[in-house]
Amino acid sequence: DSFIESFNERNHESEFSLPNYLIVLLRQLQKAIIGLIWITDFRDGRSIESSFIGTIKKLQQCSMWPVTSLQRACPIGSSTPNKEKNAVTTYKDGALVDYIIRNIIAYIKQRVSAMCYILRPRTRNPRDISERVMMVYCTMLCHRIEICFCRHPDQLMMCALYLVCKKMGYVQSVTFNDLQIAYEEMTKDFLLPQTMYAMFHRIMIRPGTDGFGDIISLYNEIFVPAMSDLWFEVAKAQVPAAMLTF
């Protein structure tokens, strides 16, 4: 959106502006990039240090995690990064990651709202579900960022949505099959069938050649163990005001 706004602002006095179809394509491309930067395969010889994941690990080592946007959006308190220890290059890395994280939060917020809208005949309060899912998601990014590595943000979004629906009782008898149907409805215009299949049935569970599983395995083996000790704090926390601004 910043590119689109900048382009239109520079050309506001002329008759030329980006056509709507190109704006739609650019936003779809942005969403695709946001998802792809997390799914990294290092078996081809690439170094993890030069990846987005490697940059996050560097920020953790330099006590610069969580980044500013997560400090504001996370409902559970987090330590403040120690900026005195950081080199200039690390500070630049932090600014880049913070920009990407802000876009991820905004992107997932749109996704969650769309999923809740599709599921609305079975929900009692879609807005409450959406807010609580975002609280879970931001807590995961802030305190359990490692489970995001090598997985698509949408996969973890669906785990967060399923957790909230089951724990809070907002949706009766919801299953991952229900979420898959809703997700397919939401993305039917721009995701290929093979991509849709991989989203639910080819997910990195454990490192290794045979370390893949489905969305249920991801939820039971990775997501729940990582988030169970944080759930009760999230459940009783207030919605951060900053989260509503994304």
Side-chain angles (χ1 to χ4, degrees):
D1 284 352
S2 59
F3 168 78
I4 296 170
E5 292 171 1
S6 175
F7 185 92
N8 286 334
E9 182 178 338
R10 291 181 182 181
N11 294 276
H12 73 282
E13 295 181 354
S14 68
E15 296 182 356
F16 182 77
S17 61
L18 290 175
N20 289 335
Y21 76 87
L22 186 54
I23 291 175
V24 171
L25 289 174
L26 286 170
R27 287 176 174 162
Q28 289 178 354
L29 179 60
Q30 180 188 38
K31 292 176 182 178
I33 293 172
I34 287 174
L36 290 174
I37 58 175
W38 295 93
I39 303 177
T40 306
D41 189 347
F42 302 108
R43 289 174 295 180
D44 61 359
R46 285 177 295 174
S47 171
I48 189 172
E49 286 77 14
S50 62
S51 69
F52 179 65
I53 293 174
T55 304
I56 291 177
K57 290 185 175 182
K58 182 165 67 173
L59 294 177
Q60 290 176 315
Q61 293 169 357
C62 295
S63 302
M64 277 194 69
W65 192 265
V67 290
T68 303
S69 55
L70 279 179
Q71 293 179 56
R72 295 171 55 238
C74 182
I76 299 177
S78 59
S79 59
T80 301
N82 183 3
K83 296 184 179 180
E84 295 180 358
K85 298 172 60 178
N86 305 321
V88 174
T89 54
T90 307
Y91 179 80
K92 291 179 179 179
D93 288 337
L96 172 63
V97 172
D98 188 63
Y99 173 80
I100 294 173
I101 290 293
R102 289 200 311 271
N103 279 273
I104 288 173
I105 294 174
Y107 157 82
I108 291 296
K109 186 176 180 180
Q110 293 174 356
R111 286 283 211 242
V112 171
S113 296
M115 291 281 287
C116 289
Y117 179 80
I118 295 171
L119 291 167
R120 69 191 183 283
R122 304 176 60 181
T123 61
R124 290 200 288 269
N125 196 326
R127 181 177 178 180
D128 282 354
I129 295 176
S130 180
E131 290 178 350
R132 196 62 57 174
V133 171
M134 290 308 303
M135 290 172 70
V136 171
Y137 201 92
C138 289
T139 299
M140 176 194 68
L141 290 174
C142 188
H143 296 280
R144 299 291 186 270
I145 187 65
E146 290 79 9
I147 69 175
C148 298
F149 298 166
C150 300
R151 300 179 181 108
H152 195 282
D154 284 1
Q155 294 166 339
L156 294 158
M157 176 268 291
M158 286 180 280
C159 287
L161 179 54
Y162 184 82
L163 175 69
V164 170
C165 289
K166 298 296 285 188
K167 292 288 188 180
M168 302 296 290
Y170 283 126
V171 181
Q172 298 300 320
S173 303
V174 66
T175 66
F176 274 111
N177 186 58
D178 298 323
L179 297 185
Q180 180 172 349
I181 292 172
Y183 186 82
E184 290 174 351
E185 173 65 23
M186 178 179 67
T187 59
K188 63 183 180 181
D189 293 331
F190 51 88
L191 281 191
L192 297 173
Q194 57 266 37
T195 304
M196 190 73 69
Y197 177 86
M199 190 67 67
F200 287 88
H201 300 286
R202 187 168 175 77
I203 304 170
M204 176 62 71
I205 306 299
R206 305 290 179 191
T209 56
D210 297 320
F212 293 92
D214 61 12
I215 190 75
I216 297 175
S217 298
L218 174 63
Y219 180 81
N220 289 329
E221 298 180 31
I222 304 297
F223 190 82
V224 170
M227 297 298 296
S228 58
D229 61 329
L230 297 172
W231 165 250
F232 294 105
E233 293 185 64
V234 175
K236 64 184 180 182
Q238 298 295 316
V239 179
M243 186 183 296
L244 303 177
T245 64
F246 286 99

